[in-house]
Amino acid sequence: MLGSFAEFERAMIRERTRAGLDAARSQGRHGGRPPKLLANQRSEIIRMVGSGKKTAAEAARLFDVNRSTISRLLAVARHSPPSPTEASSRKRRR
């Protein structure tokens, strides 16, 4: 008997949580931690490390993030297609 009450209460909590998340999404909010680096900082790190001006460890110290953040950023950049601005700048250099 007690187990069925606990199961019912858990279902109610799950339903209220889902309703709250849906209401937040409808207001334009989303959950999760905000990114530590802005988009222009990410592109700057990729450019600096890619060109050899800075090592990943130096870039991590410069932007006050962990070395693993830089490694993850570089891995994503290696496996994603270049943005239209990067692609057009590469064409001009050739």
Side-chain angles (χ1 to χ4, degrees):
M1 190 71 164
L2 194 58
S4 63
F5 284 126
E7 190 176 327
F8 174 72
E9 181 61 28
R10 182 68 190 127
M12 294 299 292
I13 291 170
R14 192 176 303 125
E15 188 177 312
R16 286 193 301 266
T17 300
R18 179 69 53 201
L21 289 171
D22 290 341
R25 278 190 208 103
S26 69
Q27 295 175 3
R29 297 181 187 163
H30 64 294
R33 183 179 180 150
K36 176 99 180 198
L37 297 169
L38 301 173
N40 61 340
Q41 291 173 322
R42 289 191 297 266
S43 61
E44 179 69 16
I45 290 169
I46 293 167
R47 189 185 60 73
M48 286 188 323
V49 175
S51 69
K53 284 185 178 181
K54 299 270 187 203
T55 64
E58 290 170 337
R61 281 191 296 274
L62 181 65
F63 287 93
D64 193 29
V65 294
N66 198 299
R67 167 75 173 81
S68 62
T69 302
I70 304 296
S71 297
R72 191 170 43 253
L73 176 64
L74 295 172
V76 168
R78 258 185 305 232
H79 296 296
S80 65
S83 69
T85 55
E86 289 174 3
S88 64
S89 66
R90 285 184 186 161
K91 288 178 185 174
R92 281 184 254 157
R93 280 188 241 156
R94 291 182 181 170

